[in-house]
Amino acid sequence: MRLNKEDVLLGFFVVFGISYPLIIALIIFFEDVKEKRSEMSQVRSFYSFILGLEECKRERAQELAHMLSENLLREMKDVEGMVSTCQLNRRTYAPARAEERVVRNGYLVVDLVKKEKGMTQRLLSISLSYHKEDGGLKITRVEYEKGS
């Protein structure tokens, strides 16, 4: 059985035509995953700063301030309040690490935990509400809960 060039070419276009919707769906899916990953990395950079998991520099707070809604920035007492919150949490919860839980899209809970003698102790828990806007990601609410 010999295949003609025309038959091979026709078969290629039929296979491509059938798989085209699948290829497009995969491209859209991977773009969405990449966008969500970028969104989460922005939220992580914010909570890492607020929890004192990184250095508490004024310049870093200014970079992150654009992600906050106007009301939240006012509640946190602008950049100076962000830096002081970072410094306080850094002194208080120095050996701790963060564990995050995505409750639903746009809402994240981060627990600051410390392991001692085989026991995990929750020191602090913060809840972050955020949404995507034209200008990027906006964090609208931050709530703190003291651990046990």
Side-chain angles (χ1 to χ4, degrees):
M1 179 171 156
R2 295 191 66 192
L3 296 175
N4 294 334
K5 291 180 184 177
E6 295 85 17
D7 292 340
V8 171
L9 190 60
L10 184 61
F12 172 75
F13 281 113
V14 167
V15 169
F16 181 72
I18 291 172
S19 63
Y20 181 75
L22 177 65
I23 293 168
I24 296 301
L26 285 173
I27 290 171
I28 292 171
F29 173 75
F30 288 127
E31 285 296 317
D32 189 42
V33 166
K34 188 166 66 170
E35 184 178 310
K36 289 227 185 272
R37 209 174 267 158
S38 168
E39 203 174 273
M40 286 307 295
S41 72
Q42 289 176 340
V43 172
R44 277 187 194 106
S45 66
F46 173 74
Y47 79 67
S48 292
F49 181 80
I50 290 299
L51 292 175
L53 301 175
E54 61 182 65
E55 289 207 33
C56 306
K57 294 183 178 178
R58 183 170 171 45
E59 297 82 26
R60 182 70 175 138
Q62 287 174 332
E63 290 173 14
L64 296 172
H66 78 278
M67 291 190 332
L68 303 179
S69 68
E70 291 178 22
N71 291 337
L72 182 58
L73 191 59
R74 205 173 313 117
E75 285 176 24
M76 294 189 88
K77 296 179 178 52
D78 205 36
V79 173
E80 296 305 321
M82 288 174 64
V83 172
S84 65
T85 301
C86 177
Q87 291 170 342
L88 176 68
N89 287 336
R90 190 170 178 86
R91 280 191 307 267
T92 308
Y93 308 113
R97 63 182 172 81
E99 292 181 356
E100 65 182 47
R101 295 177 280 146
V102 177
V103 177
R104 63 180 182 273
N105 195 15
Y107 187 73
L108 177 75
V109 176
V110 181
D111 295 323
L112 206 55
V113 297
K114 180 172 79 170
K115 283 196 172 187
E116 269 186 351
K117 299 177 185 175
M119 303 241 335
T120 302
Q121 182 181 14
R122 185 172 61 94
L123 304 171
L124 180 70
S125 180
I126 64 169
S127 303
L128 301 166
S129 295
Y130 59 94
H131 66 276
K132 187 137 174 100
E133 284 186 355
D134 293 335
L137 185 82
K138 287 292 180 192
I139 297 173
T140 55
R141 195 177 82 221
V142 176
E143 294 177 350
Y144 297 90
E145 182 182 322
K146 201 77 161 145
S148 52

